[in-house]
Amino acid sequence: MTEKEILKDHDITVHTFNGDLLPDEVGFYDPITKTAFISDKLNKKERIKVLLHELGHLDHTTAEYTNARVRCENEANRNMIHHLLKDALSQLENKADFNYIKFMEYYHLTTVTDEIMVKEEYQALV
């Protein structure tokens, strides 16, 4: 999956920013300019993850994000996991060969919430 493939159905722009300026931030989305900003410190795999996460914020309003930040972040993570999982499953001949632990290790998904989302999204996709 490439950035171009991810962005083809979305009317947004992507720009990189100097990751040294915002060391605790890897990406963010500005709904006013319809722009995703991604740290230049990320490798290709992490950049894809961050872009998919930021696309998960497209439907969030500023007020919604302010009042329900955790929910919005979880929805954005679920969007990322869904698309990464869909891509991973498309590369398997037998979907039953999917190993969610290896998938989580590969993408550095470490929380219980991530694990639950991976399992739920796998069930929804197969």
Side-chain angles (χ1 to χ4, degrees):
M1 162 177 9
T2 66
E3 258 183 64
K4 194 176 218 178
E5 292 169 331
I6 294 168
L7 294 173
K8 73 178 175 133
D9 295 329
H10 302 282
D11 182 28
I12 70 164
T13 305
V14 177
H15 291 290
T16 57
F17 64 88
N18 182 338
D20 293 330
L21 297 175
L22 299 169
D24 295 333
E25 198 67 56
V26 293
F28 55 94
Y29 177 70
D30 176 25
I32 295 168
T33 62
K34 293 185 173 181
T35 304
F37 294 90
I38 299 176
S39 170
D40 63 359
K41 300 295 182 196
L42 300 177
N43 63 35
K44 182 182 175 187
K45 178 174 65 171
E46 291 298 317
R47 189 175 164 98
I48 295 292
K49 278 179 56 181
V50 170
L51 181 56
L52 289 169
H53 172 92
E54 296 309 324
L55 289 175
H57 288 300
L58 290 181
D59 293 331
H60 296 148
T61 64
T62 303
E64 183 179 26
Y65 190 81
T66 301
N67 293 321
R69 182 178 181 160
V70 172
R71 180 181 55 77
C72 290
E73 288 300 323
N74 281 335
E75 288 173 357
N77 278 346
R78 183 176 289 275
N79 181 70
M80 172 196 64
I81 288 169
H82 172 84
H83 289 287
L84 292 175
L85 190 53
K86 190 174 177 181
D87 184 59
L89 291 173
S90 74
Q91 298 175 35
L92 293 175
E93 273 187 47
N94 183 356
K95 308 296 185 240
D97 291 339
F98 176 74
N99 183 318
Y100 85 91
I101 294 173
K102 287 183 182 178
F103 175 84
M104 289 184 67
E105 288 172 351
Y106 180 78
Y107 285 111
H108 307 289
L109 302 171
T110 58
T111 69
V112 172
T113 303
D114 290 337
E115 180 179 1
I116 291 167
M117 288 182 194
V118 168
K119 289 176 177 179
E120 289 175 352
E121 290 302 315
Y122 173 78
Q123 289 299 318
L125 288 167
V126 293

